[in-house]
Amino acid sequence: MSIQVQEQIEYLKSLKAIRERSRKVYEKAEKNELGHFNVDFSKLQDAVTTVLSLMERDYKDIGEIPPHGRWRHFDVGGRSRVQILIDQWKQNIIDPKEITRRILDLFVVSVLLDAGAGNSWSYKEPDTGSSFNRSEGLAIASYDMFKAGLFSSQISQPHQVDADRLINISVDDVRKAFQVNDANPLEGLEGRSNLLSRLGQALKSHPEFFGGSDGLPARPGNLLDYLLSHPTTTITQSETTVKIETLWSVVVDGLAEVWPPTRTSINDVSLGDVWPCEVLKSPGTAADSTEYLVPFHKLSQWLTYSLIEPMIKISTITFEGVEHLTGLPEYRNGGLLTDIGVLTLKSDDLERGLKYYNDNVLKPGQKPVEIVPMFEVDDPVVIEWRAMTVVLLDIIAEKIRENLGLNKEQLSLAQVLEAGTWKAGREIAKSLRPITRGPPIAIKSDGTVF
């Protein structure tokens, strides 16, 4: 592999590339040159006003806003499930580092299972009898699987996730654990099962990140030890500081095998959540050019946001460079921009998407209710939608800071996502589509991207 190709691969896997390539799409929008969306920039203020109203409604103090991460989903219904586990382990005098490893184990597997569940699936929690759907339902289901030892190959240590067990998890295991049946269908069921198996393979393939070469099991949580021993990590008596790029390399390189082989690749190197974008491809673009590829790495970023929090809370680690993470280009953030009128599908794509929904979702004789345009995950519409979402989230966050007189240190993008854009996308969807509560544009989920 040439040095130039290696550099292209490294760039497309970087956090820097996400903003830079999405910005190129945004620049096309400024010239009214998008292929699939009309953009009304005046509606951005409506998005800002909506998000600000939610922040003021739910938080008396901006400093109380937690960062966007998986932890919140585990605590749905007012039950502090993660803390219950931590307190239980503390009673057994378990080392704080091992407690952190266990929570990282749980968060890694749970985030990777957090692709779109669809409008019909829900999970009934055995302990409380409460039912949850979407991200919260997937979180509670994975939490119960973890508690029951379904991710561990060691009977003596059920509260861990290890490679040997993941490799042997079957579709039936996942179906039963997620309570899936004909009346409770889960989108991407087989994709989730295959993803867990590939996660096991990834853990085994990267002992430098996840251990396993010393006779102990390869586990996601062992990334803690890698970070603490990394030469760029600084440890003093008062604090431990880890560079975000160090954690990012674990997520992007260490978990590269998790992504299906159908994803974009260069020289047989899988790039993950990276896609060709029509609007960046000019007539003279060379066949081997990578200039029109746009990376998002949504699940990788969602995982990174989620892993930071337990390491800060339990192991008191400080992370440097978190601002390089972007807003998440997924259907809640993107849905906010579409529902509020910033982004509007062009008529041909709207018609095509509605036809796809009718042909692939509606069953014979089923009454069409709350129909929305639907596309495959690699459809040019979805790529353009996601790229615009990345940049517009940055703009919305900056406008909110200006309104409140705050800087990035006082109000991070992760806080804006948590208290505002993601929540606003969900609440507007609920008000506009009360039956499905789904997004304004549906993505045909394969269980690996959303």
Side-chain angles (χ1 to χ4, degrees), residues 13 112 194-210 249-263 268-272 300 448:
K13 284 187 169 186
L112 292 179
N194 292 337
L195 186 146
L196 290 175
S197 179
R198 290 194 301 272
L199 173 58
Q201 296 289 355
L203 298 177
K204 280 185 172 292
S205 298
H206 295 283
E208 70 275 22
F209 298 135
F210 307 116
S249 71
V250 177
V251 173
V252 169
D253 296 324
L255 300 177
E257 290 84 356
V258 167
W259 311 115
T262 52
R263 294 286 180 259
D268 295 325
V269 175
S270 176
L271 300 177
S300 297
T448 62

Side-chain angles (χ1 to χ4, degrees), residues 5-22:
V5 171
Q6 286 179 327
E7 289 176 346
Q8 289 173 340
I9 292 171
E10 289 176 8
Y11 174 73
L12 289 169
K13 284 187 169 186
S14 71
L15 287 169
K16 176 184 178 182
I18 300 171
R19 274 197 173 90
E20 288 185 348
R21 288 293 169 88
S22 291

Side-chain angles (χ1 to χ4, degrees), residues 29-31 58 60 64 70 93 134 148 156 179 193 214 227 256 265 268 282 286 328 330 395 402 409:
E30 290 182 308
K31 300 174 185 176
D58 296 338
K60 293 180 180 179
E64 295 176 355
R70 191 60 161 164
I93 322 179
R134 301 190 181 275
S156 61
Q179 302 172 353
S193 174
D214 52 4
L227 297 180
S265 63
D268 295 325
S282 60
L328 300 180
E330 45 76 53
I395 294 172
E402 290 173 3
E409 286 70 37

